[in-house]
Amino acid sequence: ATRVNASGLIETVATGVPRLEYPLVNGVVNGCPSLLLEPASTNLITYSNDTISGWGGFNYGGSSLTEQFGVLSPEGSNNATRLTYTSSGSGGALLTTNITLVANAEYTLSFYAKNISGIKQIRLDLRNSSSSGVSGSSTTLTNEWQRYTQTYVMDGSTNRGVQIRLLDSEFSGDRIFDMWGIQLEQSGYATSVIPTSGSAVTRVADTASGSG
């Protein structure tokens, strides 16, 4: 399981070790740690850090989107993805990862992102590759790594997934931004980061004993 350490970085904690998580305010540690105890949860996104692997997408209307994996992440490693979008003024770009979801269920999407340059708006929906599904709201990024969360109620279908949308009709302009730790949970809230690299991953529930 993961925590935020005293340096403000995401780190993995071994089984049997208490997760003492430090609070972050505007990306900076501010205060004493607290013991993190969470229920079991599954990250349904199979590639949480690398949107090149396990994700598909397309550009249209003359716009273009390129991806570079291996930039510095909130983990302090070079395992985030940089996305560079060039606007045409009439087009857009989509990145999708389709997953079998539960119809009418509640899901929470969370992700880390930071703006590098250009327009700061992006949008993430629960849609499939044909853009059918539930729409989210636009997110305004900052120039520092921050975690963003959105909660959705699925529609009546089960063939959906996360869709990253960059549309000139909503917010036109070039932009470069980094993403890491994309997570989709069947829950009404986001839990701590569950990294994935090829399959969904479940974190078992925390338990505490021997407190004295």
Side-chain angles (χ1 to χ4, degrees):
T2 61
R3 69 160 183 164
V4 177
N5 67 19
S7 299
L9 299 175
I10 307 296
E11 73 172 6
T12 300
V13 176
T15 300
V17 177
R19 288 196 287 161
L20 298 177
E21 179 161 272
Y22 287 79
L24 289 177
V25 178
N26 296 324
V28 178
V29 170
N30 185 355
C32 296
S34 57
L35 179 62
L36 181 58
L37 299 171
E38 294 182 301
S41 191
T42 300
N43 185 1
L44 300 169
I45 302 295
T46 56
Y47 285 91
S48 60
N49 303 332
D50 179 4
T51 62
I52 300 173
S53 302
W55 293 70
F58 59 93
N59 311 315
Y60 62 92
S63 296
S64 67
L65 178 67
T66 59
E67 302 167 80
Q68 172 194 353
F69 178 73
V71 299
L72 191 65
S73 76
E75 199 175 39
S77 301
N78 293 320
N79 62 349
T81 303
R82 176 159 295 174
L83 298 98
T84 300
Y85 175 74
T86 302
S87 169
S88 72
S90 62
L94 306 176
L95 276 175
T96 61
T97 178
N98 285 354
I99 309 165
T100 299
L101 303 179
V102 177
N104 304 311
E106 189 174 40
Y107 287 88
T108 295
L109 174 69
S110 58
F111 59 95
Y112 280 85
K114 65 180 292 188
N115 172 262
I116 303 300
S117 67
I119 302 299
K120 297 183 177 182
Q121 281 75 31
I122 63 174
R123 200 177 97 195
L124 278 75
D125 302 327
L126 285 191
R127 294 187 170 188
N128 59 19
S129 55
S130 61
S131 294
S132 176
V134 179
S135 297
S137 57
S138 63
T139 297
T140 300
L141 308 182
T142 71
N143 295 331
E144 304 293 335
W145 280 113
Q146 287 195 35
R147 195 183 195 195
Y148 301 90
T149 64
Q150 297 185 40
T151 298
Y152 310 75
V153 176
M154 261 294 292
D155 58 12
S157 178
T158 60
N159 179 25
R160 295 288 185 261
V162 174
Q163 185 181 87
I164 303 171
R165 296 168 63 87
L166 306 168
L167 304 179
D168 293 322
S169 58
E170 289 184 322
F171 21 75
S172 178
D174 297 350
R175 74 209 71 176
I176 302 174
F177 61 100
D178 296 347
M179 294 192 75
W180 180 87
I182 306 171
Q183 188 158 306
L184 182 66
E185 304 168 79
Q186 189 178 341
S187 169
Y189 61 94
T191 68
S192 58
V193 173
I194 305 172
T196 65
S197 57
S199 63
V201 172
T202 299
R203 182 197 60 247
V204 298
D206 293 299
T207 58
S209 61
S211 64

